[in-house]
């Protein structure tokens, strides 16, 4: 069933067909988000979001439960929290609007009870002191004391755009101090060994940098290939 079949205009509640397995989630949780981004072409990653949970060491990693809302309205976010499974990440397309908060402290309490791993929100939040206490991770675009409406419309488990990310239901969300990235399920198996290899290569480069034995040809060869005299 699609949003256009039998649902009223602007409303849809879908289901996720598949989810990443626990072993894959745990493996990606151990990898730096910049390394993942490097292996996805260096042009992926959320833009304009910041962490509000006050723990720079926290790593968020879990399957996306996607929500698209009208800016300033959180009716479908309440429904998504009700639907969420432990470890889920609610990824919310709020259109980047900062005039009204989409979630606050009371919803944080519900999220902790449901063992939701975190939120990624292209929109505003409020009750920032409560979010800073931790218990659930939160990346969002900004904050305002102005509260939301609860009228809809909205959609759950559809493809959304969130702060420069295209996110499908069940995609793997990984976030750390450097930012947020979304990995399509179809890419997980092939991407994992590449990111691990990239991490090992960076470790070798870091060691040569530290010891002063870095090979100048790493960049000189690039410059010569571009016709730059050395």
């Amino acid at each position: 069933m699609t949003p256009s079949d039998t649902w009223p205009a602007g409303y849809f509640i879908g289901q996720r067909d598949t989810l990443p397995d626990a072993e894959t989630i745990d493996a990606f949780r151990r990898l730096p988000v910049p390394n993942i981004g490097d292996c996805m072409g260096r042009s992926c990653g959320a833009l304009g979001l910041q962490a509000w949970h006050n723990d720079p060491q926290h790593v968020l990693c879990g399957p996306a439960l996607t929500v698209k809302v009208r800016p300033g309205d959180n009716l479908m976010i309440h429904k998504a929290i009700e639907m969420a499974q432990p470890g889920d990440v609610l990824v919310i397309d709020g259109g980047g609007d900062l005039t009204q908060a989409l979630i606050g402290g009371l919803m944080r309490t519900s999220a902790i009870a449901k063992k939701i791993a975190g939120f990624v929100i292209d929109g505003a939040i409020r009750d920032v002191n409560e979010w800073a206490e931790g218990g659930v991770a939160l990346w969002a675009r900004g904050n305002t004391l102005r509260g939301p409406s609860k009228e809809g419309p909205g959609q759950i488990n559809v493809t959304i755009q969130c702060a420069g990310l295209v996110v499908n239901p069940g995609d793997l969300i990984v976030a750390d101090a450097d930012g947020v990235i979304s990995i399509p399920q179809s890419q997980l198996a092939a991407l994992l060994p590449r990111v691990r290899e990239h991490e090992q290569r960076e470790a070798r480069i870091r060691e040569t940098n530290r010891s002063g034995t870095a090979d100048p040809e790493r960049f000189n060869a690039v410059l010569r290939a571009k016709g730059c005299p050395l």
Side-chain angles (χ1 to χ4, degrees), residues 63-75:
L65 195 165
T66 61
V67 190
K68 181 177 178 63
V69 299
R70 177 174 60 81
D73 189 278
N74 72 359
L75 175 63

Side-chain angles (χ1 to χ4, degrees), residues 168-183:
N168 292 291
D171 285 354
L172 186 64
I173 303 298
V174 191
D176 61 18
D178 280 294
V180 183
I181 201 163
S182 176
I183 311 170

Side-chain angles (χ1 to χ4, degrees), residues 97-215:
D97 178 73
L98 298 179
T99 63
Q100 291 174 273
L102 291 176
I103 63 173
L106 295 178
M107 298 171 80
R108 170 182 172 271
T109 304
S110 298
I112 291 173
K114 293 281 293 187
K115 298 183 179 178
I116 291 171
F119 294 83
V120 176
I121 303 176
D122 196 357
I125 65 156
R126 67 177 184 174
D127 302 320
V128 295
N129 288 337
E130 294 182 51
W131 291 102
E133 295 175 5
V136 59
L138 171 63
W139 276 260
R141 186 170 291 277
N143 74 291
T144 177
L145 62 86
R146 298 171 61 174
S149 61
K150 295 174 173 57
E151 300 292 336
Q155 300 178 339
I156 297 175
N157 284 328
V158 294
T159 300
I160 64 169
Q161 296 186 51
C162 180
L165 296 172
V166 176
V167 186
N168 292 291
D171 285 354
L172 186 64
I173 303 298
V174 191
D176 61 18
D178 280 294
V180 183
I181 201 163
S182 176
I183 311 170
Q185 288 192 66
S186 61
Q187 297 182 21
L188 290 171
L191 184 63
L192 181 57
R194 290 174 54 204
V195 181
R196 284 172 167 164
E197 181 182 352
H198 183 81
E199 185 178 32
Q200 294 169 1
R201 182 168 62 252
E202 282 203 345
R204 293 192 294 269
I205 294 172
R206 185 174 294 107
E207 182 54 36
T208 60
N209 290 347
R210 183 181 295 114
S211 63
T213 59
D215 184 0

Side-chain angles (χ1 to χ4, degrees), residues 23-82:
E23 183 178 354
T24 298
I25 294 173
D26 186 62
F28 274 97
R29 191 190 312 276
R30 301 169 187 272
L31 298 171
V33 167
N35 289 6
I36 298 172
D38 284 354
C39 293
M40 294 180 70
R42 295 196 165 189
S43 60
C44 300
L47 300 172
L49 304 184
Q50 61 178 307
W52 296 87
H53 46 268
N54 200 30
D55 180 3
Q57 301 303 316
H58 187 89
V59 176
L60 173 66
C61 188
L65 195 165
T66 61
V67 190
K68 181 177 178 63
V69 299
R70 177 174 60 81
D73 189 278
N74 72 359
L75 175 63
M76 281 302 196
I77 302 175
H78 283 278
K79 180 60 181 177
I81 290 174
E82 175 194 318

